[in-house]
Amino acid sequence: MDEKQRQDEYASSRADRLPSLQEVLSRRTRPPVDLFMFYLFLQREGAEDILDFWLDVQQHENLCRAYFKDIRKSGRNLKEEWPEYWDYARRRGSIYGTVVGMGEAKRSTGSMDHLMTGDDEKYRPRSTSPRPGASTALSDHTRVASASPKNANDDPPRSTTPFSLSGRTPTLFHKRASRAPTIIPRSQAITRQNLIASAERIYYRYLCPATTVSSTENHEIYLPPALRIHSFPLSSAHEPRSPAEMQLMAQIPDMFHAQKDYCFRAMEQDAFPRFLRSKAFGNLTPVSALVRLIVGLIILWIGLAVGFSLIFLDVHPKSKRFFLFIPYTIAILCLISHQYELDPILVFLGQSETTPFRTLHIREPYVRKLLLGRAVWVSVLVAAFSTALTMIFWAVPGHRL
């Protein structure tokens, strides 16, 4: 089954519902509720780093899966090739259980318990993951939050939600595109050093405090204390040799899975519902809607000024007042489009805005049906208000001042 057939199959399964976040992230949906539009939506809110992190960790996990599959295809035994990881996965569980031949995969907590120092239980913070029952699943991560037994006030201030990072402001225009690649280059065999380099890049880009790296390279995301990783003791510049480094190396494949899962739940509960409301029930960007509001008010003022002039100058024939229908229709169309964040003309043309005044074709069937229904309703409102306003100014008797 090729890609187009798979897309058609997924589209038919969503004939009477909106897509889920997992379908969007898996690139199974079509515009205007696809991954590209979701990225632009988060970018306008200044929260695209959450999605960037999820995509990069997904790429890191794909790289690890490819490494394990290479070992299996070469006929080597993972237990002999990487005994530290085999022992870690057997004891702690791993998301790659089926890939490495350990039966049904267990959800890894991605713990980095060897990165901490001090008393484990004394510095164990409470989980604030949005996932129900996360306090048990994240028990191993609580050690990460205490990389050293220091006062919590020594840490830099952090926000309390992934979508309200301190110092971040929403952006109205496109500013950068740092989406993770979807294809893993395979010019040569994947090594464990490649896995370290992938994890190292993710840590210094998204998890390392912004005070330790340059602002142009750091896009730190919010994580609850139980999921924070305070250091990355391995280096891609040299291969681990000591037993302690080999033990740390064994945790690299599952290192970010719990953080990735937290970001998924945060997007699913916060940003994604707003994204669906924006794109499945409207087709305008905030900037475009604001421009329509300004244009609508200006044209309405001009129409009212002309209407009162025709009345107080007692212009004949009286039928000339019917031409007021033109400015009133344009003005009310702009104002109602701003109110609903939906332009019925664009909907009837099958278009939805990506960035201000740039559009793409609506290809998701259920979204197209929803937008057509709302476009008809908006058109009826525009016609009703325009007709009523025009008839009022026509019926008022003229009186020359």
Side-chain angles (χ1 to χ4, degrees), residues 265-296:
R265 301 303 173 189
M267 289 189 293
E268 187 177 48
Q269 296 175 14
D270 189 340
F272 189 67
R274 289 185 283 109
F275 166 71
L276 290 181
R277 284 195 297 270
S278 173
K279 293 304 175 184
F281 299 96
N283 66 341
L284 298 179
T285 60
V287 171
S288 180
L290 180 61
V291 170
R292 282 170 169 78
L293 173 63
I294 297 173
V295 172

mmCIF file of all heavy atoms in Angstrom, residues 265-296:
data_model
loop_
_atom_site.group_PDB
_atom_site.id
_atom_site.type_symbol
_atom_site.label_atom_id
_atom_site.label_comp_id
_atom_site.label_asym_id
_atom_site.label_seq_id
_atom_site.Cartn_x
_atom_site.Cartn_y
_atom_site.Cartn_z
ATOM 1 N N ARG A 265 1.192 14.993 26.122
ATOM 2 C CA ARG A 265 -0.027 15.212 26.911
ATOM 3 C C ARG A 265 -0.313 16.695 27.080
ATOM 4 O O ARG A 265 -1.476 17.122 27.072
ATOM 5 C CB ARG A 265 0.097 14.542 28.277
ATOM 6 C CG ARG A 265 0.342 13.050 28.226
ATOM 7 C CD ARG A 265 -0.722 12.314 27.463
ATOM 8 N NE ARG A 265 -0.393 10.909 27.282
ATOM 9 C CZ ARG A 265 -1.056 10.075 26.508
ATOM 10 N NH1 ARG A 265 -2.095 10.504 25.837
ATOM 11 N NH2 ARG A 265 -0.685 8.812 26.392
ATOM 12 N N ALA A 266 0.730 17.486 27.240
ATOM 13 C CA ALA A 266 0.526 18.935 27.385
ATOM 14 C C ALA A 266 -0.063 19.531 26.106
ATOM 15 O O ALA A 266 -0.986 20.349 26.158
ATOM 16 C CB ALA A 266 1.849 19.610 27.734
ATOM 17 N N MET A 267 0.477 19.139 24.944
ATOM 18 C CA MET A 267 -0.068 19.627 23.671
ATOM 19 C C MET A 267 -1.497 19.131 23.477
ATOM 20 O O MET A 267 -2.369 19.875 23.012
ATOM 21 C CB MET A 267 0.810 19.169 22.505
ATOM 22 C CG MET A 267 2.152 19.852 22.429
ATOM 23 S SD MET A 267 3.070 19.480 20.902
ATOM 24 C CE MET A 267 3.422 17.724 21.143
ATOM 25 N N GLU A 268 -1.748 17.893 23.841
ATOM 26 C CA GLU A 268 -3.065 17.293 23.632
ATOM 27 C C GLU A 268 -4.130 17.990 24.464
ATOM 28 O O GLU A 268 -5.279 18.142 24.019
ATOM 29 C CB GLU A 268 -3.000 15.809 23.983
ATOM 30 C CG GLU A 268 -4.261 15.029 23.662
ATOM 31 C CD GLU A 268 -4.103 13.558 23.966
ATOM 32 O OE1 GLU A 268 -3.622 13.231 25.083
ATOM 33 O OE2 GLU A 268 -4.450 12.731 23.112
ATOM 34 N N GLN A 269 -3.774 18.429 25.670
ATOM 35 C CA GLN A 269 -4.751 19.031 26.565
ATOM 36 C C GLN A 269 -4.847 20.544 26.430
ATOM 37 O O GLN A 269 -5.874 21.120 26.786
ATOM 38 C CB GLN A 269 -4.395 18.673 28.013
ATOM 39 C CG GLN A 269 -4.480 17.191 28.316
ATOM 40 C CD GLN A 269 -4.016 16.841 29.716
ATOM 41 O OE1 GLN A 269 -3.869 17.730 30.556
ATOM 42 N NE2 GLN A 269 -3.768 15.574 29.974
ATOM 43 N N ASP A 270 -3.820 21.180 25.914
ATOM 44 C CA ASP A 270 -3.789 22.646 25.879
ATOM 45 C C ASP A 270 -3.865 23.195 24.453
ATOM 46 O O ASP A 270 -4.890 23.720 24.024
ATOM 47 C CB ASP A 270 -2.518 23.141 26.574
ATOM 48 C CG ASP A 270 -2.520 24.651 26.765
ATOM 49 O OD1 ASP A 270 -3.270 25.342 26.052
ATOM 50 O OD2 ASP A 270 -1.775 25.152 27.614
ATOM 51 N N ALA A 271 -2.790 23.051 23.703
ATOM 52 C CA ALA A 271 -2.689 23.716 22.404
ATOM 53 C C ALA A 271 -3.541 23.060 21.322
ATOM 54 O O ALA A 271 -4.131 23.750 20.484
ATOM 55 C CB ALA A 271 -1.223 23.758 21.959
ATOM 56 N N PHE A 272 -3.606 21.726 21.317
ATOM 57 C CA PHE A 272 -4.283 21.051 20.209
ATOM 58 C C PHE A 272 -5.777 21.356 20.136
ATOM 59 O O PHE A 272 -6.297 21.586 19.028
ATOM 60 C CB PHE A 272 -4.046 19.540 20.306
ATOM 61 C CG PHE A 272 -4.518 18.788 19.099
ATOM 62 C CD1 PHE A 272 -3.896 18.957 17.869
ATOM 63 C CD2 PHE A 272 -5.591 17.911 19.196
ATOM 64 C CE1 PHE A 272 -4.330 18.269 16.752
ATOM 65 C CE2 PHE A 272 -6.024 17.221 18.081
ATOM 66 C CZ PHE A 272 -5.392 17.395 16.860
ATOM 67 N N PRO A 273 -6.530 21.377 21.245
ATOM 68 C CA PRO A 273 -7.945 21.768 21.133
ATOM 69 C C PRO A 273 -8.127 23.171 20.561
ATOM 70 O O PRO A 273 -9.043 23.411 19.767
ATOM 71 C CB PRO A 273 -8.444 21.676 22.578
ATOM 72 C CG PRO A 273 -7.539 20.688 23.233
ATOM 73 C CD PRO A 273 -6.195 20.931 22.612
ATOM 74 N N ARG A 274 -7.250 24.102 20.953
ATOM 75 C CA ARG A 274 -7.354 25.459 20.401
ATOM 76 C C ARG A 274 -6.995 25.477 18.918
ATOM 77 O O ARG A 274 -7.558 26.247 18.142
ATOM 78 C CB ARG A 274 -6.437 26.402 21.179
ATOM 79 C CG ARG A 274 -6.948 26.682 22.592
ATOM 80 C CD ARG A 274 -6.121 27.705 23.328
ATOM 81 N NE ARG A 274 -4.865 27.148 23.814
ATOM 82 C CZ ARG A 274 -3.676 27.434 23.337
ATOM 83 N NH1 ARG A 274 -3.553 28.274 22.315
ATOM 84 N NH2 ARG A 274 -2.592 26.892 23.849
ATOM 85 N N PHE A 275 -6.049 24.641 18.528
ATOM 86 C CA PHE A 275 -5.693 24.530 17.116
ATOM 87 C C PHE A 275 -6.876 24.028 16.297
ATOM 88 O O PHE A 275 -7.175 24.564 15.214
ATOM 89 C CB PHE A 275 -4.501 23.592 16.973
ATOM 90 C CG PHE A 275 -4.244 23.134 15.566
ATOM 91 C CD1 PHE A 275 -3.755 24.008 14.608
ATOM 92 C CD2 PHE A 275 -4.484 21.817 15.196
ATOM 93 C CE1 PHE A 275 -3.520 23.585 13.309
ATOM 94 C CE2 PHE A 275 -4.250 21.382 13.907
ATOM 95 C CZ PHE A 275 -3.764 22.270 12.959
ATOM 96 N N LEU A 276 -7.575 23.010 16.797
ATOM 97 C CA LEU A 276 -8.733 22.493 16.068
ATOM 98 C C LEU A 276 -9.845 23.535 15.978
ATOM 99 O O LEU A 276 -10.480 23.684 14.922
ATOM 100 C CB LEU A 276 -9.257 21.228 16.748
ATOM 101 C CG LEU A 276 -8.383 19.976 16.638
ATOM 102 C CD1 LEU A 276 -9.052 18.801 17.336
ATOM 103 C CD2 LEU A 276 -8.094 19.631 15.182
ATOM 104 N N ARG A 277 -10.067 24.268 17.077
ATOM 105 C CA ARG A 277 -11.095 25.317 17.016
ATOM 106 C C ARG A 277 -10.718 26.381 15.999
ATOM 107 O O ARG A 277 -11.583 26.925 15.305
ATOM 108 C CB ARG A 277 -11.276 25.952 18.399
ATOM 109 C CG ARG A 277 -12.058 25.099 19.384
ATOM 110 C CD ARG A 277 -12.516 25.917 20.575
ATOM 111 N NE ARG A 277 -11.389 26.426 21.342
ATOM 112 C CZ ARG A 277 -10.822 25.788 22.346
ATOM 113 N NH1 ARG A 277 -11.276 24.595 22.708
ATOM 114 N NH2 ARG A 277 -9.813 26.310 23.005
ATOM 115 N N SER A 278 -9.433 26.672 15.905
ATOM 116 C CA SER A 278 -8.980 27.716 14.990
ATOM 117 C C SER A 278 -9.083 27.295 13.530
ATOM 118 O O SER A 278 -9.510 28.085 12.683
ATOM 119 C CB SER A 278 -7.525 28.092 15.319
ATOM 120 O OG SER A 278 -6.988 28.977 14.363
ATOM 121 N N LYS A 279 -8.724 26.046 13.227
ATOM 122 C CA LYS A 279 -8.631 25.617 11.837
ATOM 123 C C LYS A 279 -9.830 24.815 11.344
ATOM 124 O O LYS A 279 -10.079 24.773 10.145
ATOM 125 C CB LYS A 279 -7.352 24.794 11.639
ATOM 126 C CG LYS A 279 -6.093 25.615 11.807
ATOM 127 C CD LYS A 279 -6.101 26.804 10.864
ATOM 128 C CE LYS A 279 -4.910 27.722 11.074
ATOM 129 N NZ LYS A 279 -4.988 28.927 10.215
ATOM 130 N N ALA A 280 -10.555 24.171 12.250
ATOM 131 C CA ALA A 280 -11.723 23.403 11.829
ATOM 132 C C ALA A 280 -12.996 24.235 11.836
ATOM 133 O O ALA A 280 -13.983 23.855 11.197
ATOM 134 C CB ALA A 280 -11.909 22.177 12.730
ATOM 135 N N PHE A 281 -13.002 25.366 12.541
ATOM 136 C CA PHE A 281 -14.177 26.228 12.599
ATOM 137 C C PHE A 281 -13.883 27.632 12.071
ATOM 138 O O PHE A 281 -14.748 28.500 12.132
ATOM 139 C CB PHE A 281 -14.709 26.303 14.027
ATOM 140 C CG PHE A 281 -15.144 24.970 14.575
ATOM 141 C CD1 PHE A 281 -14.292 24.222 15.352
ATOM 142 C CD2 PHE A 281 -16.392 24.464 14.272
ATOM 143 C CE1 PHE A 281 -14.675 22.989 15.850
ATOM 144 C CE2 PHE A 281 -16.792 23.233 14.766
ATOM 145 C CZ PHE A 281 -15.929 22.481 15.551
ATOM 146 N N GLY A 282 -12.691 27.870 11.592
ATOM 147 C CA GLY A 282 -12.323 29.152 11.015
ATOM 148 C C GLY A 282 -11.219 28.952 9.995
ATOM 149 O O GLY A 282 -10.600 27.892 9.929
ATOM 150 N N ASN A 283 -10.964 29.983 9.204
ATOM 151 C CA ASN A 283 -9.915 29.869 8.193
ATOM 152 C C ASN A 283 -9.056 31.122 8.090
ATOM 153 O O ASN A 283 -8.375 31.330 7.070
ATOM 154 C CB ASN A 283 -10.525 29.547 6.824
ATOM 155 C CG ASN A 283 -11.396 30.688 6.293
ATOM 156 O OD1 ASN A 283 -11.842 31.552 7.051
ATOM 157 N ND2 ASN A 283 -11.647 30.685 5.000
ATOM 158 N N LEU A 284 -9.076 31.966 9.137
ATOM 159 C CA LEU A 284 -8.295 33.193 9.123
ATOM 160 C C LEU A 284 -7.239 33.163 10.230
ATOM 161 O O LEU A 284 -7.438 32.543 11.276
ATOM 162 C CB LEU A 284 -9.189 34.419 9.317
ATOM 163 C CG LEU A 284 -10.258 34.677 8.261
ATOM 164 C CD1 LEU A 284 -11.068 35.907 8.631
ATOM 165 C CD2 LEU A 284 -9.631 34.847 6.869
ATOM 166 N N THR A 285 -6.134 33.852 9.995
ATOM 167 C CA THR A 285 -5.124 34.048 11.029
ATOM 168 C C THR A 285 -5.499 35.276 11.858
ATOM 169 O O THR A 285 -6.290 36.122 11.403
ATOM 170 C CB THR A 285 -3.742 34.247 10.403
ATOM 171 O OG1 THR A 285 -3.769 35.396 9.544
ATOM 172 C CG2 THR A 285 -3.339 33.023 9.582
ATOM 173 N N PRO A 286 -4.967 35.423 13.065
ATOM 174 C CA PRO A 286 -5.308 36.589 13.893
ATOM 175 C C PRO A 286 -5.006 37.927 13.208
ATOM 176 O O PRO A 286 -5.780 38.877 13.329
ATOM 177 C CB PRO A 286 -4.454 36.395 15.145
ATOM 178 C CG PRO A 286 -4.260 34.915 15.238
ATOM 179 C CD PRO A 286 -4.160 34.443 13.820
ATOM 180 N N VAL A 287 -3.882 38.006 12.495
ATOM 181 C CA VAL A 287 -3.540 39.264 11.816
ATOM 182 C C VAL A 287 -4.554 39.582 10.739
ATOM 183 O O VAL A 287 -5.024 40.719 10.601
ATOM 184 C CB VAL A 287 -2.121 39.171 11.223
ATOM 185 C CG1 VAL A 287 -1.833 40.381 10.334
ATOM 186 C CG2 VAL A 287 -1.081 39.100 12.329
ATOM 187 N N SER A 288 -4.916 38.583 9.937
ATOM 188 C CA SER A 288 -5.889 38.793 8.869
ATOM 189 C C SER A 288 -7.249 39.182 9.426
ATOM 190 O O SER A 288 -7.935 40.053 8.871
ATOM 191 C CB SER A 288 -6.002 37.517 8.036
ATOM 192 O OG SER A 288 -6.934 37.679 6.985
ATOM 193 N N ALA A 289 -7.652 38.558 10.536
ATOM 194 C CA ALA A 289 -8.931 38.920 11.155
ATOM 195 C C ALA A 289 -8.903 40.352 11.680
ATOM 196 O O ALA A 289 -9.898 41.089 11.562
ATOM 197 C CB ALA A 289 -9.253 37.940 12.285
ATOM 198 N N LEU A 290 -7.774 40.777 12.251
ATOM 199 C CA LEU A 290 -7.653 42.146 12.750
ATOM 200 C C LEU A 290 -7.719 43.153 11.611
ATOM 201 O O LEU A 290 -8.366 44.211 11.739
ATOM 202 C CB LEU A 290 -6.337 42.299 13.514
ATOM 203 C CG LEU A 290 -6.053 43.675 14.113
ATOM 204 C CD1 LEU A 290 -7.126 44.050 15.118
ATOM 205 C CD2 LEU A 290 -4.676 43.707 14.756
ATOM 206 N N VAL A 291 -7.085 42.850 10.490
ATOM 207 C CA VAL A 291 -7.148 43.738 9.321
ATOM 208 C C VAL A 291 -8.585 43.864 8.835
ATOM 209 O O VAL A 291 -9.045 44.960 8.475
ATOM 210 C CB VAL A 291 -6.239 43.208 8.204
ATOM 211 C CG1 VAL A 291 -6.475 43.971 6.898
ATOM 212 C CG2 VAL A 291 -4.776 43.320 8.603
ATOM 213 N N ARG A 292 -9.339 42.772 8.837
ATOM 214 C CA ARG A 292 -10.747 42.826 8.419
ATOM 215 C C ARG A 292 -11.572 43.686 9.372
ATOM 216 O O ARG A 292 -12.495 44.379 8.926
ATOM 217 C CB ARG A 292 -11.314 41.420 8.329
ATOM 218 C CG ARG A 292 -10.906 40.681 7.059
ATOM 219 C CD ARG A 292 -11.280 39.212 7.109
ATOM 220 N NE ARG A 292 -11.140 38.564 5.826
ATOM 221 C CZ ARG A 292 -9.991 38.179 5.295
ATOM 222 N NH1 ARG A 292 -8.861 38.401 5.958
ATOM 223 N NH2 ARG A 292 -9.934 37.611 4.102
ATOM 224 N N LEU A 293 -11.252 43.639 10.657
ATOM 225 C CA LEU A 293 -11.964 44.482 11.610
ATOM 226 C C LEU A 293 -11.729 45.958 11.296
ATOM 227 O O LEU A 293 -12.681 46.753 11.262
ATOM 228 C CB LEU A 293 -11.507 44.168 13.035
ATOM 229 C CG LEU A 293 -12.041 45.082 14.137
ATOM 230 C CD1 LEU A 293 -13.552 44.976 14.234
ATOM 231 C CD2 LEU A 293 -11.385 44.763 15.472
ATOM 232 N N ILE A 294 -10.478 46.332 11.065
ATOM 233 C CA ILE A 294 -10.151 47.739 10.775
ATOM 234 C C ILE A 294 -10.806 48.190 9.472
ATOM 235 O O ILE A 294 -11.433 49.260 9.398
ATOM 236 C CB ILE A 294 -8.623 47.913 10.727
ATOM 237 C CG1 ILE A 294 -8.013 47.606 12.094
ATOM 238 C CG2 ILE A 294 -8.262 49.323 10.277
ATOM 239 C CD1 ILE A 294 -6.499 47.590 12.096
ATOM 240 N N VAL A 295 -10.668 47.363 8.422
ATOM 241 C CA VAL A 295 -11.263 47.705 7.123
ATOM 242 C C VAL A 295 -12.782 47.790 7.240
ATOM 243 O O VAL A 295 -13.419 48.701 6.678
ATOM 244 C CB VAL A 295 -10.848 46.671 6.060
ATOM 245 C CG1 VAL A 295 -11.621 46.898 4.757
ATOM 246 C CG2 VAL A 295 -9.354 46.751 5.793
ATOM 247 N N GLY A 296 -13.388 46.859 7.970
ATOM 248 C CA GLY A 296 -14.839 46.870 8.117
ATOM 249 C C GLY A 296 -15.344 48.121 8.816
ATOM 250 O O GLY A 296 -16.350 48.712 8.401
#
